[in-house]
Amino acid sequence: MNKKQVVVMCLFISLTSFCTTAYPITNPTINSQSSYYTDEQLLNLAITKGIIPKNRGTDYFEQELKKKNSIAIWIVWPREGKIALVDSLKKIFLEKEGTKINNPSEYYVDIINTALYNSICENKLKNTKGIKALFVTTVLMEGDFDNGEDKVELLKNHLGEKLFEAYKKEYPEKYQYLVEMAK
């Protein structure tokens, strides 16, 4: 992936085996998920399910970019490109909104890979809106959207009442962490 492709992908996103890495994190509940799907596992599943062609040519990336298919691009992108993209998104939020995102970009790459892997397994990939939306939702769920506002209210407003209630049930430790931060 050359620098121009990284820049193009970052602009596009701003507009529209197990990995058990230890992260210097701000949310102590993060380690409640101790395993993640690797880039290779995600790509292999996407190929097996027919989402990504096995014999994709060099034009595949550009074709999916034209279609604004950030999910397909993410799946085929090498890890260093994904990390650079998350770094860029974090920088955009800091510069444009004054919002600091503290957890390492590598952590969010692993979370996004795992979320996409699970969505593919559950045949729910069509419900996934795009990488930027997935990134923002993940950051809010982790309580890492540091803009001075109440983290519980931010997440509740972002998800809506129904999904927020599901989040509380599925991730009680993370929800409790958000509540503690609001005090």
Side-chain angles (χ1 to χ4, degrees):
M1 180 77 34
N2 65 37
K3 189 174 182 178
K4 181 181 177 188
Q5 289 172 316
V6 170
V7 170
V8 168
M9 182 63 182
C10 291
L11 289 173
F12 163 67
I13 294 294
S14 67
L15 296 173
T16 53
S17 356
F18 293 99
C19 173
T20 56
T21 308
Y23 300 101
I25 52 164
T26 58
N27 180 341
T29 67
I30 284 175
N31 288 329
S32 63
Q33 169 133 5
S34 60
S35 61
Y36 305 96
Y37 291 100
T38 65
D39 301 301
E40 184 178 350
Q41 288 172 314
L42 175 60
L43 178 60
N44 287 338
L45 178 65
I47 290 169
T48 300
K49 294 281 191 167
I51 295 165
I52 302 293
K54 183 175 185 171
N55 299 317
R56 59 196 175 281
T58 55
D59 296 338
Y60 181 78
F61 180 87
E62 291 165 8
Q63 176 187 14
E64 295 305 310
L65 187 60
K66 285 179 186 174
K67 289 196 269 182
K68 298 184 178 183
N69 187 350
S70 64
I71 301 296
I73 293 167
W74 179 273
I75 291 170
V76 301
W77 231 15
R79 186 164 189 81
E80 52 277 357
K82 294 174 183 179
I83 292 168
L85 172 63
V86 173
D87 285 341
S88 295
L89 288 171
K90 289 167 67 172
K91 185 176 179 181
I92 288 167
F93 277 105
L94 183 59
E95 291 174 355
K96 292 195 176 193
E97 298 183 22
T99 298
K100 186 166 187 197
I101 298 169
N102 298 300
N103 289 327
S105 296
E106 295 86 348
Y107 171 71
Y108 288 114
V109 169
D110 289 340
I111 291 293
I112 291 168
N113 279 351
T114 299
L116 291 174
Y117 189 96
N118 291 336
S119 291
I120 292 169
C121 287
E122 297 167 8
N123 294 316
K124 294 182 179 177
L125 191 60
K126 291 180 183 179
N127 298 340
T128 306
K129 294 183 180 179
I131 295 302
K132 183 180 179 189
L134 186 54
F135 173 73
V136 170
T137 301
T138 301
V139 170
L140 288 169
M141 288 173 67
E142 296 298 325
D144 194 25
F145 204 77
D146 194 4
N147 65 355
E149 295 181 38
D150 181 282
K151 295 180 186 316
V152 174
E153 287 302 312
L154 278 171
L155 181 60
K156 187 176 183 178
N157 291 336
H158 180 74
L159 293 178
E161 192 68 39
K162 185 177 178 182
L163 289 176
F164 181 70
E165 290 303 317
Y167 165 81
K168 286 171 34 178
K169 289 177 185 172
E170 191 169 341
Y171 303 102
E173 290 177 1
K174 290 184 181 194
Y175 171 70
Q176 189 58 43
Y177 174 74
L178 294 181
V179 169
E180 292 298 319
M181 291 177 67
K183 292 181 182 178

